[in-house]
């Protein structure tokens, strides 16, 4: 028999349930705290998995108890939230998506995996693959934005970076695709609320990133807290069992979200914890995170006939298989055994963070060449985010420490010399007494850099905002500074787009920095001084008004499309339809023109791959990088298709006055969509190929091609 078969044959029910039990851990003077348990619960086999414990000394001690002092010696699985870095804090995921760079996405995941491996961790609860179209929702910060195709690419890159080619190799970390699925479509953008989307949206928008994750070999999947179609995802058999395990063939571990099994009682689908535990087991949820419902109540569920031993054994087998794939049985103590920088490419982790921060920032506006800053300018640095060390890390700091983050004040001062500074106001307070002093500091400067936005806790889990604008009295500060009629460069920090339409026409330039990580100061100094040209692009449409949410570019056509001269067409009467900035928008210190769009075959078949080429010319005065997007539109189909859909992108760096050719491959199979029966179909007909620097359709180059079957 295999090792796992042998173990299953020996295990008592109590030991089996221990393997399905994950508890939260912490530290005290006397040693580890295990969700209210003592280490005796590891010895007895009641605990098989831990989260939130890091550090090789701590990890190896609890692992030693499991391996050497429990009856069967089964090692523990230790997980940790590594959302945008571990010891090294990288830009938040929404910012990373703005890089449009799969190599960079994989690189930061690899660095995080190496650091976590060396800290004793075996599993991360990332990447988050929730396609996010409502900027009120706080967890948009953890996403790759609004586009399902982009989320698929980021899923593949992140899983490759975390897991490598073999989970048993040194430095590999098991990834968890979450939150399965449509968590981001919560009612009114409100965290933990219910979800009600169409079956078409489910299959075309919310499921594809998870399909990509399964194809990439993701080790684990986490269902969302929320209910979908009246069924909590934690017990959604049609999606977890039939679709994820059945159709997609996922044979890895499903881990509940934090306390989600116990919360089934709040959803009203279980009368007690025995019913809740049985429902989750039957749906294929292998690990119960922190609720203790499996451990304490599955024996009762068995006795009542609510669940079978075969169903429990199937879950236990998958958990043991993951531990085996991670090499925990053969080498339980090797994590944390040696420095592992070489495994991430022998690179400086701080330089990786600085590069990622630079690439993720998006230059939204830049009037009259306000940026980059000219040499020898007198600079005043104003605003509550100028010296906000902890906030630079974002809402999931992981194992990083605030003291390692470099502020804008420090970074800019080191780059240009003396910088005058005043906060003016706090991020979200009501005290305006400091505005006058900040205005006086700004009055003596040639250029004012105004750092505004959210604090890190205003984004992330349980951070939905009905008014995602500048909090506190920051608008009052901004208006006072803008009234000086000087050059004002605004640097925005937030985990979401902010509805600030009044700001963009008034500021000389606006740079969206998101939460850029520990290297915020040096990275922003590089961008502001022109050492590096901005290259980030928006992975979300930037709203003009809160009432536009949810907002995304790939909308379906209307029978009455917008016409400003016809009252009875699709529009608001008090706001524009269009976002302030479209998906893909981002300026550089160069100027780019697209021309000579060509498609390799005007008529093509279902097995063909089209090559779409376009000439890119830098007509500006600075070397810079342009991102070119390929969209398609199915002109006539059996069901209405989005006006445009992203199918590819490419980046090119050009010197001033130079041109280059970008080629993007478009396989015919990428034009497949879900038909009337929601089954994939590829239909003959005409398609538009659209190339542009953003999703603004009016500025795209167009070509028509015909698919023949």
């Amino acid at each position: 028999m295999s090792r796992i078969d042998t173990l299953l044959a020996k295990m008592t029910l109590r030991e089996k349930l221990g393997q399905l039990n994950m508890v939260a851990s912490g530290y005290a003077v006397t040693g580890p705290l295990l969700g209210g348990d003592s280490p005796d619960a590891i010895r007895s086999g009641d605990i098989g998995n831990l989260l939130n414990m890091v550090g090789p000394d701590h990890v190896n001690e609890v692992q030693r108890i499991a391996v050497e002092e429990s009856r069967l010696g089964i090692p523990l699985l230790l997980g940790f939230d590594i959302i945008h870095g571990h010891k090294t804090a990288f830009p938040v995921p929404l910012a990373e998506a703005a890089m449009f760079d799969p190599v960079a996405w994989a690189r930061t995941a690899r660095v995080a995996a190496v650091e976590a491996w060396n800290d004793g961790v075996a599993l991360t609860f990332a990447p988050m693959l929730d396609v996010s179209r409502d900027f009120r929702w706080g967890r948009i910060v953890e996403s790759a934005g609004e586009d399902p195709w982009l989320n698929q690419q980021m899923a593949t890159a992140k899983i490759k970076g975390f897991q490598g080619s073999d989970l048993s190799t040194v430095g590999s970390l098991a990834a968890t695709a979450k939150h399965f699925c449509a968590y981001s479509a919560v009612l009114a953008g409100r965290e933990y609320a219910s979800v009600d989307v169409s079956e078409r949206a489910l299959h075309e928008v919310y499921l594809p990133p998870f399909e990509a994750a399964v194809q990439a070999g993701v080790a684990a999947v986490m269902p969302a807290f929320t209910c979908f179609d009246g069924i909590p995802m934690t017990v959604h058999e049609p999606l977890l069992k039939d679709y994820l395990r059945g159709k997609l063939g996922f044979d890895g571990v499903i881990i509940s979200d934090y306390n989600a099994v116990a919360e089934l009682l709040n959803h009203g689908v279980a009368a007690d914890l025995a019913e809740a535990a049985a429902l989750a087991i039957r749906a294929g949820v292998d690990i119960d995170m922190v609720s203790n419902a499996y451990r304490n109540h599955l024996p009762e569920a068995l006795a009542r006939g609510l669940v079978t031993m075969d169903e429990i054994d199937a879950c236990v087998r998958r958990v043991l298989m993951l531990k085996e794939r991670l090499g925990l049985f053969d080498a339980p103590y090797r994590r944390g055994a040696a420095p592992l920088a070489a495994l991430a490419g022998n690179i400086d982790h701080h330089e990786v963070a600085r590069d990622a921060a630079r690439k993720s920032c998006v230059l939204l506006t830049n009037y009259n060449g306000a940026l980059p800053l000219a040499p020898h300018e007198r600079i005043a640095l104003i605003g509550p985010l100028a010296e906000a060390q902890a906030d630079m890390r974002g809402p999931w700091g992981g194992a990083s420490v605030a003291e390692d983050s470099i502020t804008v004040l420090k970074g800019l001062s080191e780059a240009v010399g003396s910088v005058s500074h005043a906060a003016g106001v706090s991020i979200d307070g009501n005290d305006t007494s400091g505005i006058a002093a900040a205005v006086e500091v700004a009055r003596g400067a040639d250029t004012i850099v105004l750092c505004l936005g959210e604090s890190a806790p205003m984004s992330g889990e349980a951070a939905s905002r009905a008014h995602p604008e500048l909090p506190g009295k920051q608008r009052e500060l901004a208006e006072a500074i803008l009234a000086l009629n000087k050059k004002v460069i605004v640097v925005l920090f937030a985990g979401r787009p902010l509805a600030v339409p009044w700001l963009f026409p008034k500021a000389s330039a606006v740079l969206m920095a998101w939460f850029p990580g520990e290297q915020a100061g040096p990275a922003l100094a590089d961008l502001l001084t022109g050492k590096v040209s901005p290259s980030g692009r928006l992975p979300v449409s930037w709203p003009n008004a809160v009432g536009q949410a949810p907002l995304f570019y790939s909308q379906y056509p209307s029978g009455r499309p917008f016409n400003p001269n016809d009252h009875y067409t699709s529009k608001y009467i008090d706001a524009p339809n269009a976002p302030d900035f479209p998906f893909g928008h981002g300026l550089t210190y160069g100027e780019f023109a697209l021309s000579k769009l060509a498609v390799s075959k005007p008529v093509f078949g279902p097995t063909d791959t089209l090559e779409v080429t376009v000439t890119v010319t830098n007509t500006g005065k600075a070397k810079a990088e342009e991102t070119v997007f390929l969209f398609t539109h199915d002109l006539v189909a059996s069901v209405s298709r989005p006006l445009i859909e992203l199918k590819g992108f490419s980046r090119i760096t050009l010197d001033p006055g130079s041109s280059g050719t970008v080629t993007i491959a478009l396989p015919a199979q990428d034009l497949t969509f879900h038909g009337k029966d929601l089954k994939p179909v590829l239909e003959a007909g005409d398609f538009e190929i659209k190339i542009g620097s953003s999703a603004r359709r009016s500025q795209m180059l167009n070509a028509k091609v015909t698919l023949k079957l």
Side-chain angles (χ1 to χ4, degrees), residues 467-550:
H467 302 285
E469 302 151 355
L470 284 177
K473 298 299 180 180
Q474 292 184 72
R475 178 167 181 171
E476 286 87 336
L477 171 65
E479 289 178 335
I481 297 296
L482 291 165
L484 294 173
N485 292 318
K486 290 177 175 284
K487 185 166 72 170
V488 179
I489 310 299
V490 176
V491 182
L492 287 176
F493 298 88
R496 52 160 65 86
L498 300 176
V500 287
W502 56 271
L503 176 64
F504 298 116
K506 297 178 180 179
S508 304
V510 179
L511 181 69
M512 181 57 177
W514 315 99
F515 293 117
E518 66 163 44
Q519 293 294 309
L524 285 165
D526 290 344
L527 294 170
L528 294 172
T529 61
K531 181 178 180 180
V532 176
S533 174
S535 60
R537 299 293 187 269
L538 288 177
V540 287
S541 302
W542 192 288
N544 173 271
V546 177
Q548 291 178 317

Side-chain angles (χ1 to χ4, degrees), residues 384-385 388-395 402 427 454-457 493 514-517:
L385 274 301
Q389 195 172 33
D391 292 302
M392 296 300 99
R393 296 183 304 155
I427 294 176
E454 297 180 323
S455 65
F493 298 88
W514 315 99
F515 293 117

Side-chain angles (χ1 to χ4, degrees), residues 32-103:
L33 299 173
L34 308 174
D37 289 294
S38 73
D40 286 339
I42 298 176
R43 294 185 181 94
S44 65
D46 286 318
I47 295 174
N49 314 279
L50 295 177
L51 73 155
N52 296 342
M53 182 172 286
V54 294
D57 293 341
H58 298 294
V59 167
N60 283 336
E61 173 56 21
V62 295
Q63 197 68 279
R64 186 195 62 77
I65 295 172
V67 171
E68 300 178 20
E69 299 183 20
S70 70
R71 186 176 76 90
L72 296 176
I74 300 173
L76 297 167
L77 173 66
L78 289 102
F80 195 72
D81 279 300
I82 302 165
I83 309 303
H84 44 95
H86 187 61
K87 292 293 184 67
T88 304
F90 296 113
V92 294
L94 188 61
E96 278 209 78
M99 295 193 292
F100 284 90
D101 187 342
V103 174

